[in-house]
Amino acid sequence: MCGSLCDAVLEQSGSAEALADLARSNLLLVPLDRRGKWYRYHHLFRDMLRAELDRMEPELIPVLLRRAAAWCVRNDLPESALEYSMAAGDVDTVADLTGRLVVPTYQQGRVTTVQRWFRWLQDRGEIGKHPMTAVLASVVSAVTGRPTEAERWADIVDRWQFGDGARPDDPPAEAWAAVVRAVL
């Protein structure tokens, strides 16, 4: 965490100074850089704080997570934004960020991470609303030797493409859907 992230989540100022004070007093907060901008805290401390928030104001948790995700998007940290959005249950943001991150993450060899994102969306039953994400899931499944998964994802794309005459146009998804059919 950093001061500006905490400021954005809490919608107040002064977090950088508070973090620096906590780090100096050695209260379970450790600086991660020499400038004292980024910090981490002990996981047990995090668990205690989260349990307290769950007990006192559980409805505030998704709000705070969405604020953190928005800050990460503004500060060019899309993967962190995706993780915060998953924790907040924000399917649309997760689908959008997944679409942006799949190719570079796959190119880094992080196939398991990409598959986790796809599974998360599928488990929420919302993947049909995001055809490009389903297309990418089918392509990744095909090129990683998972033909059954590739077909399952392609069926979702087909239902989107051919099952809903009133759907909005999405030329990139249409083009990629053709690629998926050719690959399969």
Side-chain angles (χ1 to χ4, degrees):
M1 70 184 127
C2 68
S4 61
L5 170 59
C6 293
D7 285 347
V9 169
L10 298 172
E11 294 184 328
Q12 66 183 34
S13 60
S15 298
E17 295 82 18
L19 289 171
D21 289 344
L22 287 169
R24 277 192 296 275
S25 63
N26 199 21
L27 292 177
L28 302 173
L29 195 68
V30 177
L32 296 177
D33 58 19
R34 292 180 186 193
R35 297 176 305 166
K37 180 178 179 183
W38 287 95
Y39 298 88
R40 70 169 174 80
Y41 47 86
H42 194 279
H43 69 278
L44 293 175
F45 184 54
R46 177 207 176 274
D47 293 346
M48 186 270 309
L49 291 174
R50 182 62 187 258
E52 184 72 9
L53 186 58
D54 281 338
R55 190 175 64 77
M56 301 294 287
E57 297 182 83
E59 71 285 349
L60 190 56
I61 294 169
V63 173
L64 298 175
L65 291 167
R66 283 185 182 98
R67 288 178 192 165
W71 181 90
C72 288
V73 167
R74 287 191 308 271
N75 288 276
D76 198 29
L77 298 168
E79 192 168 338
S80 294
L82 191 149
E83 295 296 334
Y84 280 123
S85 296
M86 287 171 73
D90 187 349
V91 173
D92 292 333
T93 302
V94 171
D96 292 341
L97 289 168
T98 297
R100 286 178 38 197
L101 293 171
V102 164
V103 172
T105 306
Y106 175 82
Q107 288 174 334
Q108 294 169 354
R110 297 172 51 218
V111 177
T112 303
T113 299
V114 169
Q115 290 170 331
R116 180 174 58 85
W117 298 338
F118 292 143
R119 261 192 319 278
W120 187 91
L121 286 165
Q122 182 183 11
D123 289 348
R124 273 122 196 105
E126 299 287 326
I127 196 75
K129 295 179 184 176
H130 303 279
M132 191 61 174
T133 305
V135 165
L136 292 168
S138 184
V139 170
V140 168
S141 296
V143 300
T144 58
R146 293 182 165 89
T148 305
E149 279 184 40
E151 289 287 348
R152 184 172 37 80
W153 290 112
D155 287 344
I156 292 168
V157 174
D158 287 345
R159 281 194 299 276
W160 163 79
Q161 194 169 24
F162 303 115
D164 183 6
R167 69 174 169 71
D169 286 338
D170 189 345
E174 297 268 353
W176 275 101
V179 170
V180 165
R181 279 191 291 284
V183 167
L184 297 181

